[in-house]
Amino acid sequence: MWSSRLVFVLAAAGSAVGLGNIWKFPYITGENGGGAFVVVYLACIALVGVPIMMAEVMLGRAGRMSPINTMRKLASASGGSGFWPVIGWMGVLAGFLILSYYAVIAGWAVYYVGRLASGTFDGADGAASQAAFDAFLADPWAILLWQTVFMAVTVFIIARGVARGLETAVRWLMPLLLVLLLVLVGYGAAVGDFARGAGFLFSFDVSSLSVGGLLTAMGHAFFTLSLGMGAIMAYGAYLPGRTSIAGTVTTIAVLDTVVALAAGLAIFPIVFATAGLEPGEGPGLMFVTLPIAFGNLPLGAVVGAVFFLLVSFAAVTSAISLTEPALAFLVEQYNAKRTRVAISLGAGCWLLGIGTVLSFNVWADVHVVGGLTFFDFVDYVSYKVLLPVGGLLIALFAGWVLAKPVVAEELGFDGWQERLWQAAIRFIAPAGVLVVFGYTIYQSV
Ligand code: PHE
């Protein structure tokens, strides 16, 4: 069990804050036209993400087992069917798929630590930064090397058992990461085109939002809060009984959102001030823009190296949580050895990740389905399908199946709080997911 509420907050925040905030949020915002996308994303966080996160923590704490067995236990105790553990199984699959590419991108961040430290970007402009990134991306062996390094570190930490190191890492490194992001925002304000950057993020122009953008925004709300696959449920299993779930979850959601918006405010002013860069650059966005800032800041090589190191740490604390549902299940069910499970899981993810490594070079023109590369495909299935469906099922279970006394015991709501919670988990959150899915399907047929 976590020793206190703070440890849980730190672990859950460590899971939530990661590449999703710093790498993915800016680039998908850029691809989806900015402001309107951001508004939909924020709405999804507040209306769908927060209630579902509360549900996950509640289920985890009520079951106190791995997500698969927690769902078994709670479903049978509430007279539900044997169907519900599917939430746990889907989560294991989603975690596996996500980690396979997460480790590849995290490897890019690790690689950039050395690149910045060695002064590659001193005085760099847009063209130089783009060229450095393109050259790296064209070399599958280099990407493979850093993916391997990242995966090895993650497996090592998981095998040793997580809580202690995780706590210290998040407590000290996360605030530092936020500070450096704010330094970058300051750079953007001083040197970049801050007005356009901020305008891009916050001006609400509905016409810029596509149907695909809607699904992306919702999928990302799940992804960035680590929802829909049991990671938060698995962590909730260790939460002390007395802690208020609503307050804790709100804290984590706000923190996660602040980091994402800071990353956006750091990146877009640079994009608009640099010739040759555009918001829709794609997955390379952060790797092309931020080194330009560091290359032109005093002490930029050192600060930049530290920044990418912190991003790598943030990625490790998220990666750990991606494996927790599977790991906890295997250890609990089969008494498997933690080390052995960690190595097998890591090796499997690493192998699947090679498909993502190749998606950026050798297989760049190989399309699995409908114009999607291997990376795009794994990404699509996990965060636009598995996470929202998992989240929907979690909401339905928590709202309609789970026995009332359990909910009352865990959440301790009464009066208006109780009514608000009921409305959110029974209707608003499921409707949010269904409307976005329905609309997407309707538009694409
Ligand atoms: N939330 C993490 C991020 O934003 C990614 C993640 C997704 C972690 C799902 C766990 C579960 O980087």
Side-chain angles (χ1 to χ4, degrees), residues 196-347:
R196 262 188 88 190
F200 181 76
L201 266 183
F202 295 119
S203 65
F204 186 74
D205 171 14
V206 191
S207 66
S208 65
L209 187 66
S210 67
V211 185
L214 218 58
L215 183 58
T216 308
M218 192 191 57
H220 189 66
F222 283 97
F223 185 90
T224 192
L225 292 177
S226 307
L227 297 179
M229 49 85 53
I232 295 296
M233 199 188 293
Y235 279 5
Y238 307 110
L239 183 65
R242 295 203 175 289
T243 311
S244 145
I245 292 181
T248 310
V249 163
T250 311
T251 311
I252 296 164
V254 168
L255 185 76
D256 187 79
T257 307
V258 168
V259 175
L261 294 178
L265 276 180
I267 287 175
F268 288 112
I270 303 175
V271 171
F272 290 113
T274 310
L277 296 190
E278 42 160 333
E281 154 99 23
L285 186 66
M286 122 183 191
F287 294 94
V288 175
T289 49
L290 295 184
I292 301 175
F294 290 122
N296 295 287
L297 274 172
L299 288 178
V302 181
V303 180
V306 171
F307 175 81
F308 278 99
L309 195 61
L310 293 172
V311 172
S312 309
F313 273 116
V316 173
T317 57
S318 299
I320 292 171
S321 73
L322 282 164
T323 66
E324 184 61 22
L327 196 80
F329 175 72
L330 292 168
V331 170
E332 164 186 288
Q333 188 79 10
Y334 303 107
N335 223 337
K337 283 195 70 172
R338 223 182 145 84
T339 316
R340 199 171 296 164
V341 178
I343 294 177
S344 326
L345 273 175

